Each structure stands twice: as structure tokens, then as C-alpha cells.
């Protein structure tokens, strides 16, 4: 069954130079990075003259610019990679999946983070001190919600997890994409080695398993965006170290390993534990389905998948 998970295989008639410089996993990752950097530079060049990226820009316009910078270059670079290098249909971003899978992911993200906050509340760590119905939710939705959810999921799951899985198998794809996801947050305000490790385990592994089982980027995007939005805008908890202005004005008490400290609840053992349980459940399901792609030399895998 695991062979069905491979979205791309090198064309059997491809010359040797194309196999290494165009179709190999490393080559496709490098091509994506170059496209992403070029499109990010172009986006910045278009938006800066408008003044939207400046600190003095209106909050909504600044947030819109940040959304465009985070989501659009990654999305366009991915579509170009799939269309002109892999030359296949973008099944993981199929239009028919966008709304239903995005909505399902959003619901899952809201429920999962609400469960984390609920446990913190029952343990006496999370406290609501007031409400703020005027919290600026639109900028938060655009930047830390949709911008991060779309951009980071394309990079970490659509490119890194998927392509590494095609080259090295599911286990290496999980480890490498999770480590990259955690390391990408190390420069955030209040970040520590513990917070990055927690994000790698609780979110990197969980999102990787969700993508592995569903082959749906909208599902991962919806969960990621809803997780961030719920954490900051609904519950008033810092999002990966970024201070939040939420509808609920809250504080957290107790040791940092429980509350998450200044980094937010993502660095809490509660988030780590609940997400790890979800990941374990998905892993058991994958093992029962036999969907995990084993590690074996890429040449042998492509020979096995080639039409006969």
C-alpha cells in the first residue's frame, strides 16, 4: 500500500543528468528553495513601495503584507515545482480538498488547542482575568494564522516531508521535517532548546503523520492556522513567543515546564503530552494500514514503481 503514497517518481527514460540535477530529492528541494527566495524578493520589491511593510503602516495593511510575504511565495514556488519539474497534478492541493479539508483541519486545531488549555486550567495553571472583545483578530488571522499555516505547511510538509519520504522513507521524513520545524522556531522571542524540541515533537511529528495519512495540505494548513489563532486570539497566550492580544485576557502560573513560560503553551508538557498521544494514535493507524514508506535505495524503489 505504501507505494501509493509516492506522488512523484523519476521518469524511466530520463537521462542520468536529469535524474541527479532535476529529479533527485535533493535537487527538487534546492529548486524549491531558489524559487521561494526569488519570489520572496519579488514580493518584497512590490510591497515595499506601497509602504505596507513599514512599521507605520495601518495594522490591517501590514498584516495583509505579511500574509502575502509568508504564503504567496511558498505557494507559487510549490506550484511551479510540481507543474514544471515533477509534471504532475497537485493532488495534495486539489481544489475539491480546499474547503472540506481546510474546515476539518480548522475544527481539529481549535479542539486540540482548547483541550490543552482545558488541562492547563484544571491543573491551576491557566487563569482568565478578563475579556477583550476589541482584540485585533483580523491581523492575527492573516499573519500568525493563515500566513504561517499556509507558508510553513507547504515548506515543511509539502516539500520537506513529502520529498524526503520519497527519497529516504517515512521514518526519516518524520525525523528530518520535525527537526527542521523545531529549529525554525529557535530564533523566536523567548525560545529555548526545550521549546524548539517541544515544537518539533508535538507539532512537527503530528503534522507529518497527518499529512502522511491524508496526503492533504489543506488539512494541515487548517489545523496549523487554527492552533495559532486559538492560542493567541481566543485564549490570549503568546504564539511561539510572540505576545498575543486575545479575546480572553489570561495569565499562566506554575513552573515553565507546565505553563510554557514566556514562549507560550506550546512549550508546556501538557501540549507535548496530548499531541504525542495523537501522533502515537496516527502512527498505530499507519502501521495497521501498512502505509509507511520503508527506507530502501531510491533506484530500487523507482524500479519497483515503474510501469511494466
Amino acid at each position: 500500500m505504501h507505494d501509493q503514497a509516492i506522488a512523484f517518481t523519476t521518469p524511466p527514460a530520463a537521462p542520468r543528468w536529469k535524474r541527479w540535477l532535476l529529479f533527485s530529492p535533493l535537487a527538487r528541494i534546492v529548486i524549491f528553495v531558489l524559487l521561494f527566495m526569488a519570489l520572496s524578493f519579488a514580493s518584497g520589491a512590490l510591497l515595499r513601495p506601497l509602504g505596507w511593510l513599514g512599521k507605520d503602516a495601518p495594522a490591517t495593511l501590514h498584516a495583509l503584507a505579511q500574509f502575502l510575504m509568508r504564503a504567496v511565495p511558498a505557494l507559487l514556488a510549490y506550484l511551479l515545482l510540481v507543474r514544471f519539474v515533477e509534471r504532475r497534478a497537485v493532488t495534495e492541493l486539489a481544489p475539491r480538498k480546499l474547503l472540506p479539508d481546510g474546515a476539518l483541519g480548522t475544527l481539529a486545531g481549535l479542539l486540540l488547542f482548547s483541550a490543552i488549555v482545558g488541562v492547563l486550567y484544571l491543573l491551576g495553571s491557566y487563569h482568565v482575568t478578563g475579556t477583550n472583545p476589541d482584540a485585533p483578530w483580523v491581523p492575527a488571522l492573516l499573519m500568525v494564522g493563515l500566513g504561517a499555516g499556509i507558508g510553513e505547511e507547504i515548506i515543511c510538509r509539502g516539500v520537506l516531508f513529502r520529498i524526503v519520504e520519497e527519497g529516504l522513507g517515512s521514518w526519516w521524513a518524520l525525523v528530518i521535517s520535525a527537526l527542521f520545524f523545531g529549529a525554525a522556531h529557535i530564533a523566536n522571542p523567548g525560545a529555548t532548546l526545550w521549546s524548539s524540541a517541544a515544537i518539533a515533537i508535538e507539532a512537527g511529528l503530528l503534522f507529518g503523520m497527518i499529512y502522511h495519512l491524508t496526503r492533504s495540505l489543506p488539512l494541515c494548513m487548517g489545523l496549523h492556522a487554527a492552533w495559532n489563532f486559538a492560542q493567541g486570539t481566543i485564549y490570549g497566550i503568546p504564539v511561539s513567543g510572540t505576545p498575543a492580544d486575545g479575546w480572553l485576557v489570561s495569565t499562566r502560573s506554575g513552573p515553565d515546564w507546565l505553563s510554557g513560560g514566556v514562549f507560550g503553551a506550546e512549550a508546556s508538557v501538557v501540549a507535548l503530552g496530548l499531541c504525542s498521544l495523537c501522533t502515537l494514535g496516527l502512527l498505530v493507524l499507519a502501521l495497521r494500514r501498512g502505509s509507511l514508506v520503508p527506507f530502501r535505495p531510491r533506484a530500487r524503489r523507482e524500479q519497483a514503481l515503474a510501469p511494466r
Side-chain angles (χ1 to χ4, degrees), residues 142-172:
L142 289 172
M143 288 193 297
V144 300
L146 295 173
I150 294 173
E152 292 179 17
E153 289 310 305
I154 287 175
I155 293 170
C156 294
R157 258 56 68 177
V159 175
L160 195 56
F161 178 88
R162 177 180 66 82
I163 295 178
V164 170
E165 186 181 44
E166 291 170 3
L168 299 176
S170 300
W171 292 110
W172 278 110

Side-chain angles (χ1 to χ4, degrees), residues 114-138:
S114 294
I116 292 168
V117 173
V119 174
L120 287 173
Y121 174 79
L122 292 175
L123 293 175
S125 178
Y126 179 79
H127 316 276
V128 175
T129 59
T131 60
N132 180 19
D134 298 322
W137 63 274
V138 173

Side-chain angles (χ1 to χ4, degrees), residues 189-216:
T192 63
L193 288 177
W194 161 252
S195 67
S196 292
I199 285 183
I201 297 169
E202 73 195 24
L205 294 180
L206 176 60
F207 292 168
M209 283 306 306
I210 290 173
Y211 179 76
H212 169 82
L213 285 169
T214 65
R215 302 293 157 180
S216 171

Side-chain angles (χ1 to χ4, degrees), residues 23-47:
F23 298 136
S24 70
L26 180 59
R28 283 181 286 144
I29 292 173
V30 170
I31 290 170
F32 172 83
V33 170
L34 294 176
L35 287 170
F36 175 69
M37 291 173 62
L39 289 167
S40 295
F41 178 81
S43 299
L46 290 173
L47 292 171

